Amino acid sequence: VFNQVGIVNASTNNFIDTTVYCGMLANYRICAVDLCGEGFTAWSDIEELQVPGILANQKVDMVRSTVMDDSYVFTEWAPPALAPQLLTAFELYRSTDRQNYTLLATLPPTETSYSDFDTKVKEQNYYYRVKVKNLCELETSQGLESSSILLIGGVDGENRSQLRWTP
């Protein structure tokens, strides 16, 4: 039994199926209808594809990570554009070196921000990433990261204020 996934005009000879959210083995078959205006139909062979599913492309981009009240980091992200209704959770990761990320929190799909109070904002900047967990349990794409800004001040050799900060 085949389900119709789309309709194209007679001059089209390709189609992209965007209905497979989760990875699966999919069988496809093309049916040409109303051949020669006589109501005849013609069928293609069956093509079997292992489709990874479009939710593997689901990603979250960070909006910002900002130091609040000179004591903690507030981080925000945008929900994924692709199938946000199929989210099950967000995993928030933190790093101090952009190489080694550790899971900081697992949050419900309705949350798009987090306050990280386990920080030393006067000594260290922090990098954050969010990973999407979805209904299909597919490994998802990595979105953009964000970081807090560490400001370092001092006095130069001519007694002027000198400020440096992390990118």
Side-chain angles (χ1 to χ4, degrees), residues 102-130:
T102 57
L103 180 63
L104 185 61
T106 300
L107 303 161
T110 54
E111 293 290 323
T112 55
S113 65
Y114 182 81
S115 294
D116 184 2
F117 292 98
D118 187 21
T119 58
K120 295 178 181 171
V121 297
K122 296 244 182 224
E123 299 171 21
Q124 175 70 53
N125 68 312
Y126 299 90
Y127 301 93
Y128 296 90
R129 290 182 178 170
V130 171

PDB file of all heavy atoms in Angstrom, residues 102-130:
ATOM      1  N   THR A 102      30.251  20.424  28.341  1.00  0.00           N
ATOM      2  CA  THR A 102      29.568  19.518  29.256  1.00  0.00           C
ATOM      3  C   THR A 102      28.104  19.903  29.333  1.00  0.00           C
ATOM      4  O   THR A 102      27.739  21.078  29.214  1.00  0.00           O
ATOM      5  CB  THR A 102      30.189  19.569  30.674  1.00  0.00           C
ATOM      6  OG1 THR A 102      30.151  20.917  31.145  1.00  0.00           O
ATOM      7  CG2 THR A 102      31.624  19.087  30.660  1.00  0.00           C
ATOM      8  N   LEU A 103      27.270  18.890  29.533  1.00  0.00           N
ATOM      9  CA  LEU A 103      25.833  19.115  29.646  1.00  0.00           C
ATOM     10  C   LEU A 103      25.552  19.914  30.906  1.00  0.00           C
ATOM     11  O   LEU A 103      25.902  19.503  32.002  1.00  0.00           O
ATOM     12  CB  LEU A 103      25.087  17.775  29.670  1.00  0.00           C
ATOM     13  CG  LEU A 103      23.574  17.860  29.796  1.00  0.00           C
ATOM     14  CD1 LEU A 103      22.957  18.569  28.595  1.00  0.00           C
ATOM     15  CD2 LEU A 103      22.993  16.453  29.941  1.00  0.00           C
ATOM     16  N   LEU A 104      24.918  21.052  30.740  1.00  0.00           N
ATOM     17  CA  LEU A 104      24.596  21.937  31.858  1.00  0.00           C
ATOM     18  C   LEU A 104      23.173  21.700  32.349  1.00  0.00           C
ATOM     19  O   LEU A 104      22.915  21.677  33.544  1.00  0.00           O
ATOM     20  CB  LEU A 104      24.775  23.392  31.417  1.00  0.00           C
ATOM     21  CG  LEU A 104      24.603  24.477  32.447  1.00  0.00           C
ATOM     22  CD1 LEU A 104      25.616  24.325  33.574  1.00  0.00           C
ATOM     23  CD2 LEU A 104      24.778  25.845  31.780  1.00  0.00           C
ATOM     24  N   ALA A 105      22.245  21.512  31.392  1.00  0.00           N
ATOM     25  CA  ALA A 105      20.842  21.330  31.775  1.00  0.00           C
ATOM     26  C   ALA A 105      20.070  20.725  30.612  1.00  0.00           C
ATOM     27  O   ALA A 105      20.397  20.948  29.448  1.00  0.00           O
ATOM     28  CB  ALA A 105      20.217  22.667  32.154  1.00  0.00           C
ATOM     29  N   THR A 106      19.032  19.964  30.947  1.00  0.00           N
ATOM     30  CA  THR A 106      18.058  19.499  29.973  1.00  0.00           C
ATOM     31  C   THR A 106      16.757  20.217  30.294  1.00  0.00           C
ATOM     32  O   THR A 106      16.279  20.162  31.426  1.00  0.00           O
ATOM     33  CB  THR A 106      17.874  17.965  30.050  1.00  0.00           C
ATOM     34  OG1 THR A 106      19.142  17.348  29.793  1.00  0.00           O
ATOM     35  CG2 THR A 106      16.861  17.479  29.032  1.00  0.00           C
ATOM     36  N   LEU A 107      16.230  20.904  29.291  1.00  0.00           N
ATOM     37  CA  LEU A 107      15.095  21.797  29.502  1.00  0.00           C
ATOM     38  C   LEU A 107      13.908  21.394  28.640  1.00  0.00           C
ATOM     39  O   LEU A 107      14.088  20.836  27.551  1.00  0.00           O
ATOM     40  CB  LEU A 107      15.507  23.230  29.168  1.00  0.00           C
ATOM     41  CG  LEU A 107      16.704  23.741  29.975  1.00  0.00           C
ATOM     42  CD1 LEU A 107      17.346  24.932  29.300  1.00  0.00           C
ATOM     43  CD2 LEU A 107      16.264  24.084  31.379  1.00  0.00           C
ATOM     44  N   PRO A 108      12.696  21.700  29.083  1.00  0.00           N
ATOM     45  CA  PRO A 108      11.510  21.373  28.285  1.00  0.00           C
ATOM     46  C   PRO A 108      11.475  22.184  26.981  1.00  0.00           C
ATOM     47  O   PRO A 108      12.117  23.248  26.896  1.00  0.00           O
ATOM     48  CB  PRO A 108      10.345  21.740  29.203  1.00  0.00           C
ATOM     49  CG  PRO A 108      10.903  22.660  30.224  1.00  0.00           C
ATOM     50  CD  PRO A 108      12.362  22.343  30.354  1.00  0.00           C
ATOM     51  N   PRO A 109      10.745  21.715  25.987  1.00  0.00           N
ATOM     52  CA  PRO A 109      10.740  22.382  24.684  1.00  0.00           C
ATOM     53  C   PRO A 109      10.111  23.778  24.693  1.00  0.00           C
ATOM     54  O   PRO A 109      10.258  24.512  23.727  1.00  0.00           O
ATOM     55  CB  PRO A 109       9.943  21.430  23.794  1.00  0.00           C
ATOM     56  CG  PRO A 109       9.152  20.587  24.709  1.00  0.00           C
ATOM     57  CD  PRO A 109       9.924  20.505  25.994  1.00  0.00           C
ATOM     58  N   THR A 110       9.469  24.148  25.771  1.00  0.00           N
ATOM     59  CA  THR A 110       8.870  25.480  25.874  1.00  0.00           C
ATOM     60  C   THR A 110       9.859  26.525  26.384  1.00  0.00           C
ATOM     61  O   THR A 110       9.595  27.719  26.298  1.00  0.00           O
ATOM     62  CB  THR A 110       7.651  25.445  26.814  1.00  0.00           C
ATOM     63  OG1 THR A 110       8.067  24.871  28.063  1.00  0.00           O
ATOM     64  CG2 THR A 110       6.530  24.612  26.213  1.00  0.00           C
ATOM     65  N   GLU A 111      10.997  26.086  26.926  1.00  0.00           N
ATOM     66  CA  GLU A 111      12.007  27.008  27.466  1.00  0.00           C
ATOM     67  C   GLU A 111      12.978  27.413  26.361  1.00  0.00           C
ATOM     68  O   GLU A 111      13.475  26.575  25.628  1.00  0.00           O
ATOM     69  CB  GLU A 111      12.803  26.336  28.583  1.00  0.00           C
ATOM     70  CG  GLU A 111      12.018  26.033  29.816  1.00  0.00           C
ATOM     71  CD  GLU A 111      11.630  27.281  30.590  1.00  0.00           C
ATOM     72  OE1 GLU A 111      12.431  28.218  30.652  1.00  0.00           O
ATOM     73  OE2 GLU A 111      10.510  27.290  31.118  1.00  0.00           O
ATOM     74  N   THR A 112      13.278  28.705  26.275  1.00  0.00           N
ATOM     75  CA  THR A 112      14.264  29.183  25.306  1.00  0.00           C
ATOM     76  C   THR A 112      15.282  30.111  25.973  1.00  0.00           C
ATOM     77  O   THR A 112      15.885  30.957  25.313  1.00  0.00           O
ATOM     78  CB  THR A 112      13.596  29.897  24.120  1.00  0.00           C
ATOM     79  OG1 THR A 112      12.776  30.945  24.631  1.00  0.00           O
ATOM     80  CG2 THR A 112      12.777  28.927  23.276  1.00  0.00           C
ATOM     81  N   SER A 113      15.454  29.932  27.269  1.00  0.00           N
ATOM     82  CA  SER A 113      16.470  30.710  27.991  1.00  0.00           C
ATOM     83  C   SER A 113      16.878  29.950  29.244  1.00  0.00           C
ATOM     84  O   SER A 113      16.175  29.046  29.702  1.00  0.00           O
ATOM     85  CB  SER A 113      15.942  32.096  28.355  1.00  0.00           C
ATOM     86  OG  SER A 113      14.877  31.992  29.270  1.00  0.00           O
ATOM     87  N   TYR A 114      18.028  30.355  29.780  1.00  0.00           N
ATOM     88  CA  TYR A 114      18.547  29.700  30.985  1.00  0.00           C
ATOM     89  C   TYR A 114      19.442  30.692  31.721  1.00  0.00           C
ATOM     90  O   TYR A 114      20.231  31.414  31.108  1.00  0.00           O
ATOM     91  CB  TYR A 114      19.364  28.460  30.597  1.00  0.00           C
ATOM     92  CG  TYR A 114      19.891  27.683  31.768  1.00  0.00           C
ATOM     93  CD1 TYR A 114      19.085  26.781  32.447  1.00  0.00           C
ATOM     94  CD2 TYR A 114      21.212  27.853  32.202  1.00  0.00           C
ATOM     95  CE1 TYR A 114      19.583  26.060  33.532  1.00  0.00           C
ATOM     96  CE2 TYR A 114      21.708  27.129  33.277  1.00  0.00           C
ATOM     97  CZ  TYR A 114      20.882  26.237  33.942  1.00  0.00           C
ATOM     98  OH  TYR A 114      21.373  25.530  35.002  1.00  0.00           O
ATOM     99  N   SER A 115      19.325  30.710  33.025  1.00  0.00           N
ATOM    100  CA  SER A 115      20.194  31.515  33.878  1.00  0.00           C
ATOM    101  C   SER A 115      21.209  30.597  34.537  1.00  0.00           C
ATOM    102  O   SER A 115      20.841  29.699  35.297  1.00  0.00           O
ATOM    103  CB  SER A 115      19.378  32.247  34.946  1.00  0.00           C
ATOM    104  OG  SER A 115      18.531  33.196  34.347  1.00  0.00           O
ATOM    105  N   ASP A 116      22.482  30.815  34.213  1.00  0.00           N
ATOM    106  CA  ASP A 116      23.572  29.985  34.722  1.00  0.00           C
ATOM    107  C   ASP A 116      24.226  30.707  35.902  1.00  0.00           C
ATOM    108  O   ASP A 116      25.000  31.640  35.721  1.00  0.00           O
ATOM    109  CB  ASP A 116      24.582  29.751  33.599  1.00  0.00           C
ATOM    110  CG  ASP A 116      25.704  28.809  33.990  1.00  0.00           C
ATOM    111  OD1 ASP A 116      25.699  28.299  35.126  1.00  0.00           O
ATOM    112  OD2 ASP A 116      26.592  28.585  33.141  1.00  0.00           O
ATOM    113  N   PHE A 117      23.876  30.250  37.105  1.00  0.00           N
ATOM    114  CA  PHE A 117      24.396  30.871  38.321  1.00  0.00           C
ATOM    115  C   PHE A 117      25.709  30.258  38.791  1.00  0.00           C
ATOM    116  O   PHE A 117      26.366  30.805  39.668  1.00  0.00           O
ATOM    117  CB  PHE A 117      23.354  30.786  39.446  1.00  0.00           C
ATOM    118  CG  PHE A 117      22.138  31.635  39.171  1.00  0.00           C
ATOM    119  CD1 PHE A 117      20.991  31.068  38.650  1.00  0.00           C
ATOM    120  CD2 PHE A 117      22.160  32.994  39.418  1.00  0.00           C
ATOM    121  CE1 PHE A 117      19.876  31.838  38.385  1.00  0.00           C
ATOM    122  CE2 PHE A 117      21.053  33.785  39.155  1.00  0.00           C
ATOM    123  CZ  PHE A 117      19.906  33.208  38.638  1.00  0.00           C
ATOM    124  N   ASP A 118      26.090  29.124  38.191  1.00  0.00           N
ATOM    125  CA  ASP A 118      27.330  28.454  38.577  1.00  0.00           C
ATOM    126  C   ASP A 118      28.486  28.998  37.731  1.00  0.00           C
ATOM    127  O   ASP A 118      29.102  28.278  36.945  1.00  0.00           O
ATOM    128  CB  ASP A 118      27.178  26.943  38.409  1.00  0.00           C
ATOM    129  CG  ASP A 118      28.379  26.185  38.953  1.00  0.00           C
ATOM    130  OD1 ASP A 118      29.119  26.748  39.793  1.00  0.00           O
ATOM    131  OD2 ASP A 118      28.579  25.031  38.523  1.00  0.00           O
ATOM    132  N   THR A 119      28.734  30.285  37.867  1.00  0.00           N
ATOM    133  CA  THR A 119      29.748  30.949  37.048  1.00  0.00           C
ATOM    134  C   THR A 119      30.623  31.857  37.909  1.00  0.00           C
ATOM    135  O   THR A 119      30.250  32.234  39.013  1.00  0.00           O
ATOM    136  CB  THR A 119      29.087  31.818  35.960  1.00  0.00           C
ATOM    137  OG1 THR A 119      28.231  32.767  36.591  1.00  0.00           O
ATOM    138  CG2 THR A 119      28.299  30.981  34.975  1.00  0.00           C
ATOM    139  N   LYS A 120      31.755  32.195  37.346  1.00  0.00           N
ATOM    140  CA  LYS A 120      32.655  33.202  37.937  1.00  0.00           C
ATOM    141  C   LYS A 120      32.889  34.232  36.835  1.00  0.00           C
ATOM    142  O   LYS A 120      33.919  34.224  36.165  1.00  0.00           O
ATOM    143  CB  LYS A 120      33.954  32.553  38.386  1.00  0.00           C
ATOM    144  CG  LYS A 120      33.750  31.564  39.517  1.00  0.00           C
ATOM    145  CD  LYS A 120      35.048  30.907  39.916  1.00  0.00           C
ATOM    146  CE  LYS A 120      34.755  29.912  41.041  1.00  0.00           C
ATOM    147  NZ  LYS A 120      35.901  29.080  41.346  1.00  0.00           N
ATOM    148  N   VAL A 121      31.910  35.111  36.659  1.00  0.00           N
ATOM    149  CA  VAL A 121      31.914  36.019  35.513  1.00  0.00           C
ATOM    150  C   VAL A 121      33.051  37.033  35.540  1.00  0.00           C
ATOM    151  O   VAL A 121      33.365  37.621  34.508  1.00  0.00           O
ATOM    152  CB  VAL A 121      30.557  36.739  35.368  1.00  0.00           C
ATOM    153  CG1 VAL A 121      29.446  35.733  35.091  1.00  0.00           C
ATOM    154  CG2 VAL A 121      30.239  37.586  36.582  1.00  0.00           C
ATOM    155  N   LYS A 122      33.667  37.237  36.686  1.00  0.00           N
ATOM    156  CA  LYS A 122      34.800  38.175  36.780  1.00  0.00           C
ATOM    157  C   LYS A 122      36.124  37.502  36.414  1.00  0.00           C
ATOM    158  O   LYS A 122      37.142  38.178  36.257  1.00  0.00           O
ATOM    159  CB  LYS A 122      34.891  38.737  38.192  1.00  0.00           C
ATOM    160  CG  LYS A 122      33.700  39.572  38.576  1.00  0.00           C
ATOM    161  CD  LYS A 122      34.171  40.962  38.806  1.00  0.00           C
ATOM    162  CE  LYS A 122      33.027  41.837  39.239  1.00  0.00           C
ATOM    163  NZ  LYS A 122      33.099  43.095  38.514  1.00  0.00           N
ATOM    164  N   GLU A 123      36.124  36.163  36.296  1.00  0.00           N
ATOM    165  CA  GLU A 123      37.354  35.421  36.026  1.00  0.00           C
ATOM    166  C   GLU A 123      37.337  34.657  34.705  1.00  0.00           C
ATOM    167  O   GLU A 123      38.391  34.318  34.183  1.00  0.00           O
ATOM    168  CB  GLU A 123      37.596  34.411  37.157  1.00  0.00           C
ATOM    169  CG  GLU A 123      37.754  35.036  38.517  1.00  0.00           C
ATOM    170  CD  GLU A 123      37.773  33.994  39.628  1.00  0.00           C
ATOM    171  OE1 GLU A 123      38.069  32.803  39.342  1.00  0.00           O
ATOM    172  OE2 GLU A 123      37.486  34.348  40.776  1.00  0.00           O
ATOM    173  N   GLN A 124      36.153  34.346  34.192  1.00  0.00           N
ATOM    174  CA  GLN A 124      36.060  33.411  33.068  1.00  0.00           C
ATOM    175  C   GLN A 124      34.885  33.794  32.174  1.00  0.00           C
ATOM    176  O   GLN A 124      33.848  34.203  32.662  1.00  0.00           O
ATOM    177  CB  GLN A 124      35.832  31.981  33.622  1.00  0.00           C
ATOM    178  CG  GLN A 124      35.610  30.916  32.599  1.00  0.00           C
ATOM    179  CD  GLN A 124      36.852  30.592  31.807  1.00  0.00           C
ATOM    180  OE1 GLN A 124      37.901  30.300  32.367  1.00  0.00           O
ATOM    181  NE2 GLN A 124      36.748  30.667  30.480  1.00  0.00           N
ATOM    182  N   ASN A 125      35.081  33.660  30.856  1.00  0.00           N
ATOM    183  CA  ASN A 125      33.920  33.738  29.969  1.00  0.00           C
ATOM    184  C   ASN A 125      33.476  32.309  29.650  1.00  0.00           C
ATOM    185  O   ASN A 125      34.230  31.355  29.815  1.00  0.00           O
ATOM    186  CB  ASN A 125      34.220  34.551  28.710  1.00  0.00           C
ATOM    187  CG  ASN A 125      35.198  33.879  27.793  1.00  0.00           C
ATOM    188  OD1 ASN A 125      36.237  33.405  28.227  1.00  0.00           O
ATOM    189  ND2 ASN A 125      34.879  33.847  26.519  1.00  0.00           N
ATOM    190  N   TYR A 126      32.230  32.163  29.199  1.00  0.00           N
ATOM    191  CA  TYR A 126      31.633  30.844  28.987  1.00  0.00           C
ATOM    192  C   TYR A 126      31.021  30.778  27.598  1.00  0.00           C
ATOM    193  O   TYR A 126      30.473  31.759  27.095  1.00  0.00           O
ATOM    194  CB  TYR A 126      30.553  30.578  30.048  1.00  0.00           C
ATOM    195  CG  TYR A 126      31.114  30.579  31.450  1.00  0.00           C
ATOM    196  CD1 TYR A 126      31.162  31.754  32.197  1.00  0.00           C
ATOM    197  CD2 TYR A 126      31.614  29.424  32.020  1.00  0.00           C
ATOM    198  CE1 TYR A 126      31.685  31.768  33.482  1.00  0.00           C
ATOM    199  CE2 TYR A 126      32.151  29.431  33.298  1.00  0.00           C
ATOM    200  CZ  TYR A 126      32.189  30.602  34.023  1.00  0.00           C
ATOM    201  OH  TYR A 126      32.714  30.612  35.288  1.00  0.00           O
ATOM    202  N   TYR A 127      31.122  29.606  26.989  1.00  0.00           N
ATOM    203  CA  TYR A 127      30.548  29.335  25.671  1.00  0.00           C
ATOM    204  C   TYR A 127      29.370  28.388  25.851  1.00  0.00           C
ATOM    205  O   TYR A 127      29.443  27.438  26.643  1.00  0.00           O
ATOM    206  CB  TYR A 127      31.597  28.709  24.751  1.00  0.00           C
ATOM    207  CG  TYR A 127      32.803  29.589  24.561  1.00  0.00           C
ATOM    208  CD1 TYR A 127      33.923  29.445  25.379  1.00  0.00           C
ATOM    209  CD2 TYR A 127      32.812  30.571  23.590  1.00  0.00           C
ATOM    210  CE1 TYR A 127      35.029  30.257  25.219  1.00  0.00           C
ATOM    211  CE2 TYR A 127      33.921  31.403  23.421  1.00  0.00           C
ATOM    212  CZ  TYR A 127      35.019  31.235  24.244  1.00  0.00           C
ATOM    213  OH  TYR A 127      36.118  32.048  24.083  1.00  0.00           O
ATOM    214  N   TYR A 128      28.305  28.631  25.092  1.00  0.00           N
ATOM    215  CA  TYR A 128      27.084  27.834  25.220  1.00  0.00           C
ATOM    216  C   TYR A 128      26.629  27.329  23.857  1.00  0.00           C
ATOM    217  O   TYR A 128      26.757  28.024  22.848  1.00  0.00           O
ATOM    218  CB  TYR A 128      25.962  28.666  25.842  1.00  0.00           C
ATOM    219  CG  TYR A 128      26.267  29.109  27.251  1.00  0.00           C
ATOM    220  CD1 TYR A 128      26.921  30.308  27.498  1.00  0.00           C
ATOM    221  CD2 TYR A 128      25.907  28.322  28.336  1.00  0.00           C
ATOM    222  CE1 TYR A 128      27.218  30.716  28.791  1.00  0.00           C
ATOM    223  CE2 TYR A 128      26.199  28.717  29.630  1.00  0.00           C
ATOM    224  CZ  TYR A 128      26.850  29.912  29.847  1.00  0.00           C
ATOM    225  OH  TYR A 128      27.149  30.312  31.130  1.00  0.00           O
ATOM    226  N   ARG A 129      26.082  26.124  23.858  1.00  0.00           N
ATOM    227  CA  ARG A 129      25.455  25.501  22.688  1.00  0.00           C
ATOM    228  C   ARG A 129      24.176  24.820  23.157  1.00  0.00           C
ATOM    229  O   ARG A 129      24.120  24.326  24.280  1.00  0.00           O
ATOM    230  CB  ARG A 129      26.338  24.420  22.079  1.00  0.00           C
ATOM    231  CG  ARG A 129      27.557  24.915  21.390  1.00  0.00           C
ATOM    232  CD  ARG A 129      28.312  23.748  20.799  1.00  0.00           C
ATOM    233  NE  ARG A 129      29.482  24.212  20.076  1.00  0.00           N
ATOM    234  CZ  ARG A 129      30.427  23.421  19.620  1.00  0.00           C
ATOM    235  NH1 ARG A 129      30.354  22.117  19.828  1.00  0.00           N
ATOM    236  NH2 ARG A 129      31.453  23.913  18.963  1.00  0.00           N
ATOM    237  N   VAL A 130      23.217  24.746  22.263  1.00  0.00           N
ATOM    238  CA  VAL A 130      21.990  24.019  22.560  1.00  0.00           C
ATOM    239  C   VAL A 130      21.817  22.932  21.513  1.00  0.00           C
ATOM    240  O   VAL A 130      21.998  23.168  20.315  1.00  0.00           O
ATOM    241  CB  VAL A 130      20.762  24.952  22.561  1.00  0.00           C
ATOM    242  CG1 VAL A 130      19.469  24.161  22.643  1.00  0.00           C
ATOM    243  CG2 VAL A 130      20.841  25.917  23.719  1.00  0.00           C
TER     244      VAL A 130
END
